[in-house]
Amino acid sequence: MNIKDLIPKKPKQKRSVRRFEIILDTVEEIILTEGIHSVTVQKVSKVSKMKRPTIYKLFPSNESLFFGLSERHINQFNQLYENNSEGVRIKDPDWYMNLFVDLLAIYLNQNKACARIFFFLDSLPKSSFVNDQNKRLIATIVINTFDQKDIKIEKDKLYIASQICLSTLAISFNEENCISPSYINEAKKAVKAYLSTA
């Protein structure tokens, strides 16, 4: 599959932007009501009452539907994290990682479709690129914050710390369909233990 087939074509005209958002809302609705494996361009066409060629103009493949929705949520989470860390003068990396874990858990509990994309796409072989992309983008949020605050931790180490966080939260979500406080605490401990290693 060509990489271009994985990435949605972002529209510029108002009407097309609205269609783009309706399609993503529909993908989210299908994930929540029927599960992630039910998402196809055909299904989105049926539920949204849009013609398939209209959807294919914006989303060239089923995978691009996941990419578009995950990108929407990553941008929203990024904004949430920036808003909560902006203006903070603390230099303690644990504080920023704890904030990251807390906000990510809250965000994923409130946005179940996003959580399902983050935690379940590994089971879709064709879509593993999207899941890898999610992980890189989530790590970028933390890396950029540490750069802005001039906190010296290697980028690779922050990437792995963010993956430890996601893995721990995924266990809770898979068991309970939500992220419980005990797993949030476990994620914080695991991230702190990893970042304290040489």
Side-chain angles (χ1 to χ4, degrees):
M1 176 175 282
N2 190 322
I3 193 81
K4 290 178 183 175
D5 293 335
L6 295 170
I7 300 172
K9 294 172 177 69
K10 295 231 173 129
K12 292 184 173 78
Q13 295 177 343
K14 272 188 179 181
R15 189 174 77 176
S16 295
V17 169
R18 181 70 190 126
R19 283 183 183 156
F20 189 88
E21 294 303 318
I22 289 170
I23 292 166
L24 292 181
D25 291 343
T26 304
V27 171
E28 195 156 343
E29 178 187 332
I30 293 167
I31 289 171
L32 292 172
T33 57
E34 299 180 40
I36 203 161
H37 296 286
S38 298
V39 176
T40 63
V41 171
Q42 291 79 4
K43 183 73 174 181
V44 171
S45 173
K46 183 179 178 184
V47 173
S48 68
K49 298 181 174 63
M50 278 188 210
K51 294 182 179 175
R52 278 191 274 172
T54 302
I55 296 170
Y56 277 120
K57 279 183 191 173
L58 299 168
F59 297 90
S61 67
N62 293 339
E63 289 76 16
S64 66
L65 294 167
F66 294 122
F67 190 98
L69 186 59
S70 63
E71 188 177 46
R72 172 201 265 181
H73 281 291
I74 286 170
N75 289 339
Q76 289 174 359
F77 177 73
N78 189 12
Q79 192 60 55
L80 177 69
Y81 189 77
E82 283 178 12
N83 291 345
N84 281 275
S85 60
E86 193 174 46
V88 176
R89 293 193 176 107
I90 297 169
K91 289 283 187 178
D92 178 17
D94 289 341
W95 188 90
Y96 291 100
M97 290 308 294
N98 286 342
L99 177 66
F100 174 76
V101 174
D102 286 337
L103 290 177
L104 187 58
I106 291 166
Y107 189 86
L108 294 175
N109 276 333
Q110 292 176 346
N111 297 280
K112 302 281 190 196
C114 175
R116 289 189 178 123
I117 288 173
F118 273 58
F119 298 143
F120 296 135
L121 275 184
D122 278 332
S123 66
L124 298 174
K126 291 181 183 174
S127 301
S128 62
F129 166 81
V130 179
N131 201 23
D132 290 343
Q133 186 69 11
N134 288 340
K135 291 174 181 177
R136 280 194 291 277
L137 290 171
I138 281 290
T140 301
I141 293 165
V142 175
I143 291 165
N144 288 344
T145 301
F146 276 57
D147 281 348
Q148 290 168 2
K149 305 293 181 184
D150 200 31
I151 300 171
K152 305 290 186 220
I153 294 183
E154 293 173 29
K155 290 180 182 182
D156 287 345
K157 202 162 190 169
L158 289 173
Y159 172 77
I160 293 169
S162 72
Q163 299 324 295
I164 291 169
C165 168
L166 277 171
S167 298
T168 308
L169 298 181
I171 294 167
S172 181
F173 192 85
N174 291 339
E175 288 177 358
E176 305 168 18
N177 198 34
C178 71
I179 299 166
S180 67
S182 61
Y183 277 95
I184 294 169
N185 288 332
E186 287 303 313
K188 289 178 182 178
K189 286 180 198 170
V191 166
K192 182 175 182 169
Y194 172 73
L195 288 178
S196 65
T197 61

PDB file of all heavy atoms in Angstrom, residues 150-161:
ATOM      1  N   ASP A 150      13.470  23.406  28.692  1.00  0.00           N
ATOM      2  CA  ASP A 150      14.905  23.190  28.814  1.00  0.00           C
ATOM      3  C   ASP A 150      15.233  22.129  29.869  1.00  0.00           C
ATOM      4  O   ASP A 150      16.144  22.282  30.681  1.00  0.00           O
ATOM      5  CB  ASP A 150      15.630  24.507  29.119  1.00  0.00           C
ATOM      6  CG  ASP A 150      17.108  24.427  28.783  1.00  0.00           C
ATOM      7  OD1 ASP A 150      17.461  23.690  27.841  1.00  0.00           O
ATOM      8  OD2 ASP A 150      17.908  25.075  29.486  1.00  0.00           O
ATOM      9  N   ILE A 151      14.456  21.037  29.840  1.00  0.00           N
ATOM     10  CA  ILE A 151      14.702  19.896  30.724  1.00  0.00           C
ATOM     11  C   ILE A 151      15.473  18.871  29.908  1.00  0.00           C
ATOM     12  O   ILE A 151      15.012  18.425  28.863  1.00  0.00           O
ATOM     13  CB  ILE A 151      13.374  19.298  31.257  1.00  0.00           C
ATOM     14  CG1 ILE A 151      12.603  20.362  32.058  1.00  0.00           C
ATOM     15  CG2 ILE A 151      13.651  18.071  32.118  1.00  0.00           C
ATOM     16  CD1 ILE A 151      11.207  19.959  32.438  1.00  0.00           C
ATOM     17  N   LYS A 152      16.652  18.520  30.387  1.00  0.00           N
ATOM     18  CA  LYS A 152      17.572  17.682  29.610  1.00  0.00           C
ATOM     19  C   LYS A 152      17.323  16.195  29.832  1.00  0.00           C
ATOM     20  O   LYS A 152      17.827  15.603  30.782  1.00  0.00           O
ATOM     21  CB  LYS A 152      19.023  18.013  29.971  1.00  0.00           C
ATOM     22  CG  LYS A 152      19.384  19.473  29.824  1.00  0.00           C
ATOM     23  CD  LYS A 152      19.433  19.883  28.374  1.00  0.00           C
ATOM     24  CE  LYS A 152      19.937  21.302  28.248  1.00  0.00           C
ATOM     25  NZ  LYS A 152      19.263  22.088  27.272  1.00  0.00           N
ATOM     26  N   ILE A 153      16.525  15.613  28.969  1.00  0.00           N
ATOM     27  CA  ILE A 153      16.344  14.159  28.926  1.00  0.00           C
ATOM     28  C   ILE A 153      16.360  13.776  27.455  1.00  0.00           C
ATOM     29  O   ILE A 153      15.735  14.445  26.637  1.00  0.00           O
ATOM     30  CB  ILE A 153      15.033  13.714  29.611  1.00  0.00           C
ATOM     31  CG1 ILE A 153      15.097  14.011  31.112  1.00  0.00           C
ATOM     32  CG2 ILE A 153      14.781  12.222  29.381  1.00  0.00           C
ATOM     33  CD1 ILE A 153      13.894  13.558  31.899  1.00  0.00           C
ATOM     34  N   GLU A 154      17.051  12.692  27.131  1.00  0.00           N
ATOM     35  CA  GLU A 154      17.155  12.260  25.734  1.00  0.00           C
ATOM     36  C   GLU A 154      15.780  12.013  25.132  1.00  0.00           C
ATOM     37  O   GLU A 154      14.896  11.463  25.788  1.00  0.00           O
ATOM     38  CB  GLU A 154      17.963  10.964  25.658  1.00  0.00           C
ATOM     39  CG  GLU A 154      19.412  11.092  26.032  1.00  0.00           C
ATOM     40  CD  GLU A 154      20.072   9.717  26.081  1.00  0.00           C
ATOM     41  OE1 GLU A 154      19.630   8.802  25.355  1.00  0.00           O
ATOM     42  OE2 GLU A 154      21.018   9.582  26.865  1.00  0.00           O
ATOM     43  N   LYS A 155      15.642  12.374  23.861  1.00  0.00           N
ATOM     44  CA  LYS A 155      14.359  12.201  23.162  1.00  0.00           C
ATOM     45  C   LYS A 155      13.959  10.736  23.085  1.00  0.00           C
ATOM     46  O   LYS A 155      12.785  10.401  23.252  1.00  0.00           O
ATOM     47  CB  LYS A 155      14.438  12.815  21.766  1.00  0.00           C
ATOM     48  CG  LYS A 155      14.512  14.319  21.813  1.00  0.00           C
ATOM     49  CD  LYS A 155      14.589  14.940  20.448  1.00  0.00           C
ATOM     50  CE  LYS A 155      14.708  16.458  20.649  1.00  0.00           C
ATOM     51  NZ  LYS A 155      14.739  17.189  19.432  1.00  0.00           N
ATOM     52  N   ASP A 156      14.915   9.852  22.852  1.00  0.00           N
ATOM     53  CA  ASP A 156      14.605   8.420  22.786  1.00  0.00           C
ATOM     54  C   ASP A 156      14.053   7.926  24.124  1.00  0.00           C
ATOM     55  O   ASP A 156      13.145   7.103  24.170  1.00  0.00           O
ATOM     56  CB  ASP A 156      15.837   7.602  22.413  1.00  0.00           C
ATOM     57  CG  ASP A 156      16.219   7.764  20.952  1.00  0.00           C
ATOM     58  OD1 ASP A 156      15.383   8.263  20.171  1.00  0.00           O
ATOM     59  OD2 ASP A 156      17.355   7.400  20.596  1.00  0.00           O
ATOM     60  N   LYS A 157      14.609   8.444  25.192  1.00  0.00           N
ATOM     61  CA  LYS A 157      14.165   8.043  26.521  1.00  0.00           C
ATOM     62  C   LYS A 157      12.736   8.530  26.787  1.00  0.00           C
ATOM     63  O   LYS A 157      11.913   7.806  27.346  1.00  0.00           O
ATOM     64  CB  LYS A 157      15.133   8.609  27.570  1.00  0.00           C
ATOM     65  CG  LYS A 157      15.104   7.867  28.863  1.00  0.00           C
ATOM     66  CD  LYS A 157      16.336   8.146  29.684  1.00  0.00           C
ATOM     67  CE  LYS A 157      16.327   7.184  30.841  1.00  0.00           C
ATOM     68  NZ  LYS A 157      17.531   7.140  31.578  1.00  0.00           N
ATOM     69  N   LEU A 158      12.426   9.749  26.361  1.00  0.00           N
ATOM     70  CA  LEU A 158      11.065  10.272  26.513  1.00  0.00           C
ATOM     71  C   LEU A 158      10.079   9.492  25.655  1.00  0.00           C
ATOM     72  O   LEU A 158       8.943   9.237  26.067  1.00  0.00           O
ATOM     73  CB  LEU A 158      11.018  11.756  26.161  1.00  0.00           C
ATOM     74  CG  LEU A 158      11.688  12.696  27.149  1.00  0.00           C
ATOM     75  CD1 LEU A 158      11.720  14.120  26.593  1.00  0.00           C
ATOM     76  CD2 LEU A 158      10.968  12.666  28.493  1.00  0.00           C
ATOM     77  N   TYR A 159      10.526   9.096  24.464  1.00  0.00           N
ATOM     78  CA  TYR A 159       9.665   8.284  23.589  1.00  0.00           C
ATOM     79  C   TYR A 159       9.313   6.973  24.284  1.00  0.00           C
ATOM     80  O   TYR A 159       8.145   6.575  24.352  1.00  0.00           O
ATOM     81  CB  TYR A 159      10.356   8.025  22.251  1.00  0.00           C
ATOM     82  CG  TYR A 159       9.599   7.044  21.389  1.00  0.00           C
ATOM     83  CD1 TYR A 159       8.458   7.432  20.699  1.00  0.00           C
ATOM     84  CD2 TYR A 159      10.005   5.720  21.299  1.00  0.00           C
ATOM     85  CE1 TYR A 159       7.747   6.524  19.939  1.00  0.00           C
ATOM     86  CE2 TYR A 159       9.302   4.818  20.528  1.00  0.00           C
ATOM     87  CZ  TYR A 159       8.174   5.215  19.851  1.00  0.00           C
ATOM     88  OH  TYR A 159       7.464   4.314  19.112  1.00  0.00           O
ATOM     89  N   ILE A 160      10.320   6.293  24.828  1.00  0.00           N
ATOM     90  CA  ILE A 160      10.080   5.017  25.495  1.00  0.00           C
ATOM     91  C   ILE A 160       9.206   5.219  26.727  1.00  0.00           C
ATOM     92  O   ILE A 160       8.298   4.423  26.993  1.00  0.00           O
ATOM     93  CB  ILE A 160      11.411   4.320  25.842  1.00  0.00           C
ATOM     94  CG1 ILE A 160      12.113   3.904  24.538  1.00  0.00           C
ATOM     95  CG2 ILE A 160      11.196   3.109  26.744  1.00  0.00           C
ATOM     96  CD1 ILE A 160      13.540   3.446  24.690  1.00  0.00           C
ATOM     97  N   ALA A 161       9.427   6.301  27.477  1.00  0.00           N
ATOM     98  CA  ALA A 161       8.603   6.594  28.657  1.00  0.00           C
ATOM     99  C   ALA A 161       7.132   6.771  28.261  1.00  0.00           C
ATOM    100  O   ALA A 161       6.227   6.275  28.945  1.00  0.00           O
ATOM    101  CB  ALA A 161       9.115   7.841  29.364  1.00  0.00           C
TER     102      ALA A 161
END
